[in-house]
Amino acid sequence: MSSTSQKHKDFVAEPMGEKSVMTLAGIGEVLGKRLEEKGFDKAYVVLGQFLVLKKDEELFRDWLKDTCGANVKQQGDCYGCLKEWCDAFL
């Protein structure tokens, strides 16, 4: 498995609470603003979509690409971050 970023490690280390969507691994300022414009302003809202898609990697990656234009690396980073968070907290 590829190494995870500090942002990923920080995110999965604690409950999500009211964290901004930009705290998700793979989501920076540009993608974060695009997501916010579509109503996905908090990490838990993106988590909700992740769960609606039944944690399916392909569906989530496609949704992220279509919703905010995330590239393959960004999609993978965000998916991995949410999957690991779910494994730890759900």
Side-chain angles (χ1 to χ4, degrees):
M1 186 175 156
S2 63
S3 65
T4 55
S5 67
Q6 188 62 46
K7 189 174 183 182
H8 174 109
K9 291 173 188 168
D10 291 345
F11 188 86
V12 301
E14 61 188 13
M16 196 173 300
E18 294 288 321
K19 290 182 181 179
S20 161
V21 69
M22 292 180 223
T23 60
L24 288 164
I27 306 299
E29 192 170 336
V30 172
L31 296 184
K33 289 199 181 307
R34 290 179 189 162
L35 285 165
E36 286 174 349
E37 288 168 3
K38 297 190 176 179
F40 297 92
D41 58 332
K42 301 286 184 185
Y44 69 80
V45 183
V46 177
L47 172 66
Q49 184 65 31
F50 179 77
L51 296 174
V52 164
L53 296 172
K54 299 182 178 182
K55 300 191 253 184
D56 181 278
E57 183 172 5
E58 184 178 351
L59 291 175
F60 182 74
R61 282 173 169 264
D62 287 346
W63 173 81
L64 205 55
K65 181 178 86 177
D66 294 343
T67 304
C68 68
N71 68 31
V72 171
K73 181 183 184 322
Q74 293 161 330
Q75 295 163 25
D77 289 350
C78 190
Y79 172 81
C81 182
L82 286 172
K83 182 176 184 323
E84 188 174 329
W85 188 91
C86 285
D87 291 346
F89 292 99
L90 293 184

